[in-house]
């Protein structure tokens, strides 16, 4: 939903402990390289205008595939929200660009599929990324968005970020507190919630597949008996 670059652009202090507590309400999973196909599918499902808001230009399918291929999971962090069918319906990219990380900056970008909007997923992903950034020693969380990207700017302002508008583009900066025992425990809990939720959804999906197979076998047997008796 924001950032012009292919890299991204809903603690003991209240600013750090609050995100950890609230993000546990929506299970968010940290995802790695093996999720590239799901990330690609998610971003390709965005319409032209949504792609424009997310990347700062109307990225075509080839450019999106290139973006996903270039994701550096050893350096950056990617977080996702999955539905019960294990479809990636919302994701965030917390990037550490080489020219920014030395100054203690990290950059945030997020996208939510149209049918999953209005549930606060963008804010929850921002909170999850922020608590990770705090624990990673990041001093400032940076967002670059088009000024017309009201949703992204609203997320930033709600978090207390300073937003500066420069024509068609806006920049938001959120100063982060130092890591604390509370922030580290908060992230640990959030990780566990995300992992358990994904495991449960995986088991449920496997169970549905088994039931569907059993049903197909029953139908085939019935059909065979019907043909044999006719």
């Amino acid at each position: 939903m924001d950032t012009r670059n292919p890299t991204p652009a809903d603690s003991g202090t209240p600013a750090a402990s609050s995100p950890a507590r609230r993000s546990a309400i929506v299970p968010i999973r940290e995802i790695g390289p093996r999720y590239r196909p799901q990330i690609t599918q998610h971003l390709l499902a965005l319409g032209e205008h949504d792609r424009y808001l997310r990347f700062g230009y109307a990225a075509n399918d080839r450019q999106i595939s290139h973006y996903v291929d270039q994701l550096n999971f050893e350096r950056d962090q990617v977080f996702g929200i999955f539905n019960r069918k294990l479809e990636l319906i919302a994701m965030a990219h917390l990037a550490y660009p080489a020219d920014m990380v030395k100054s203690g900056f990290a950059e945030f970008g997020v996208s939510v599929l149209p049918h999953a909007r209005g549930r606060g997923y963008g804010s929850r992903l921002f909170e999850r990324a922020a608590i990770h950034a705090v624990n990673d020693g990041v001093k400032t969380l940076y967002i670059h968005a088009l000024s017309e990207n009201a949703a992204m700017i609203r997320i930033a302002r709600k978090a207390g970020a300073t937003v500066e508008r420069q024509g068609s583009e806006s920049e938001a900066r959120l100063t982060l507190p130092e890591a604390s025992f509370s922030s580290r425990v908060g992230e640990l809990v959030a990780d566990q919630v995300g992992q358990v939720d994904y495991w449960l959804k995986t088991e449920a999906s496997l169970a549905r597949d088994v039931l569907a197979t059993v049903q197909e076998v029953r139908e085939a047997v019935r059909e065979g008996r019907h043909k044999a008796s006719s």
Side-chain angles (χ1 to χ4, degrees), residues 148-162:
E148 64 184 275
N149 194 342
M152 188 70 258
I153 294 174
R154 184 166 56 249
I155 289 173
R157 283 185 170 145
K158 182 180 177 182
T162 299

Side-chain angles (χ1 to χ4, degrees), residues 26 74 132 153 156 208 217 225:
V26 177
E74 294 183 0
H132 180 86
I153 294 174
R208 287 195 297 270
V217 171
R225 288 175 178 175

